Amino acid sequence: MLDFRIHTFLCVCRHMNYTKAAAELQITQPAVSQHIRHLEKEFQTKLFVYTGKRLELTKAGQILLNAAMTIRHDNDMLKQRMHDLQQSNTSLIFGATHTIGEFEIIDRLADYLHANKTMNMRMKIADTDELLQAIDEGSIDFAIVEGFFEQGLYETLLFSNEPLIAVCGAAYEVPPVLSLSELQQQRIIVREKSAGARELLERSLAEHGLSVDYFTHRYEVGSPQAAKGLACRNCGIAFLYEKSVRKEVTDGILREVTIRDFSVTHAFTFLWRKGSIYSALFKQIYEQLKD
């Protein structure tokens, strides 16, 4: 179980302010300071320092923060497993980015649930940053993401490698092969800036000295379904993961546009908090979902 002083430490880290932490915890500010001093005495190191008027974590504080977040998650998961034991069932609580949750994993997830009929499942679909925050806060146990993240905080397994392709509607007037300079004259459909597919596209364009801002005509949308829907209606060229548009391309509703000397592939990653006592369980779930 988490020591109450660790709860205080996490609250201070969340606000980086003793007064706000005291208000959230409904204790006095001197009590917050006392809890932090106790931890500093226990670990024999400073956890926070002031730079001017700004409170910052020390390197030791950052180490404790990473460990405490993992311990808090494992504590929450332990409570859930105890509750499941009383109900004679099990729980699967995880997250996936939009493309993965809406296209990549559904068949495999259905097979997994059929094989585990007493399973209660909650899947959160959101962007990578939001899912990582949910893991850190303990509201989900693991996630399958397509975006970029800080590798050192999580244990990771490769789920799949997926190509990002350009597609347009069957009636959209554009040659089947374009150069990057010719592509810039077209109307493009891209995800919003927080989406993993958008970040991947931006990084790949940057390798050619370009960015999405170089495209005069563009639509930005908040989901792969919306991007695909606009492409199907001949509104422009959309950049989407191949798996999410495979059916429409096969049915002739969409067609792929080849961009000369421009190929984008990205890993979908299965991850959880590094150091979790449930790593073996997550690896077992990974094997079942991946197969």
Side-chain angles (χ1 to χ4, degrees):
M1 302 298 116
L2 273 185
D3 185 281
F4 66 92
R5 284 160 289 220
I6 293 293
H7 279 294
T8 300
F9 170 76
L10 288 170
C11 191
V12 174
C13 290
R14 190 158 53 248
H15 295 289
M16 280 300 164
N17 183 290
Y18 281 69
T19 302
K20 291 181 179 179
E24 179 181 329
L25 296 169
Q26 298 184 327
I27 59 177
T28 65
Q29 185 174 331
V32 171
S33 299
Q34 184 180 24
H35 293 175
I36 300 303
R37 284 197 300 271
H38 176 91
L39 292 173
E40 291 179 332
K41 182 178 179 180
E42 180 178 350
F43 293 111
Q44 299 182 356
T45 186
K46 291 288 292 182
L47 299 174
F48 296 98
V49 293
Y50 278 98
T51 301
K53 294 184 178 181
R54 187 175 62 186
L55 189 65
E56 295 182 348
L57 278 168
T58 64
K59 288 185 178 180
Q62 187 63 57
I63 290 172
L64 179 59
L65 174 61
N66 291 336
M69 291 170 72
T70 299
I71 293 169
R72 179 179 62 183
H73 164 267
D74 287 354
N75 182 64
D76 292 342
M77 189 169 176
L78 176 61
K79 290 179 181 178
Q80 181 63 54
R81 296 190 78 188
M82 291 295 186
H83 178 266
D84 289 344
L85 186 63
Q86 300 299 317
Q87 303 296 319
S88 299
N89 58 24
T90 53
S91 294
L92 184 68
I93 304 172
F94 73 105
T97 50
H98 289 272
T99 298
I100 296 169
E102 295 170 7
F103 302 103
E104 165 75 12
I105 201 177
I106 294 300
D107 288 340
R108 307 181 203 189
L109 181 60
D111 290 341
Y112 180 84
L113 294 175
H114 283 309
N116 297 271
K117 294 188 180 297
T118 62
M119 177 79 68
N120 290 326
M121 187 271 287
R122 176 163 60 85
M123 178 173 63
K124 178 182 179 69
I125 295 181
D127 292 330
T128 296
D129 288 346
E130 187 176 343
L131 294 177
L132 296 179
Q133 182 179 351
I135 290 177
D136 294 342
E137 293 174 350
S139 59
I140 62 175
D141 297 328
F142 63 88
I144 310 172
V145 303
E146 63 194 79
F148 298 88
F149 55 90
E150 188 175 342
Q151 300 267 345
L153 299 179
Y154 307 96
E155 291 190 47
T156 64
L157 293 168
L158 175 64
F159 197 75
S160 64
N161 279 309
E162 301 296 333
L164 189 75
I165 64 173
V167 293
C168 66
Y172 188 71
E173 295 184 3
V174 66
V177 180
L178 294 173
S179 66
L180 275 173
S181 59
E182 291 170 333
L183 178 66
Q184 290 179 66
Q185 309 308 311
Q186 298 293 325
R187 189 177 300 277
I188 64 167
I189 305 165
V190 296
R191 294 287 308 281
E192 77 283 12
K193 289 185 178 181
S194 61
R198 169 65 176 271
E199 186 176 3
L200 174 61
L201 178 62
E202 290 276 20
R203 291 190 182 206
S204 300
L205 287 171
E207 294 175 3
H208 297 266
L210 299 173
S211 80
V212 168
D213 293 336
Y214 281 67
F215 293 81
T216 304
H217 307 291
R218 63 183 183 270
Y219 299 130
E220 298 186 15
V221 296
S223 77
Q225 287 283 16
K228 181 167 67 174
L230 290 176
C232 287
R233 291 162 178 79
N234 303 300
C235 292
I237 298 173
F239 284 87
L240 295 163
Y241 284 107
E242 187 273 337
K243 190 160 291 185
S244 70
V245 294
R246 181 178 297 165
K247 183 178 187 302
E248 288 77 11
V249 171
T250 300
D251 292 345
I253 299 170
L254 291 174
R255 61 187 175 92
E256 184 174 354
V257 179
T258 300
I259 311 301
R260 196 178 298 118
D261 300 322
F262 188 73
S263 177
V264 185
T265 301
H266 187 55
F268 286 0
T269 305
F270 187 108
L271 56 79
W272 63 93
R273 286 291 305 186
K274 181 168 286 188
S276 172
I277 62 174
Y278 295 107
S279 289
L281 175 61
F282 296 146
K283 289 176 182 178
Q284 180 184 16
I285 294 172
Y286 162 82
E287 293 294 343
Q288 290 178 288
L289 288 177
K290 194 171 187 305
D291 291 341

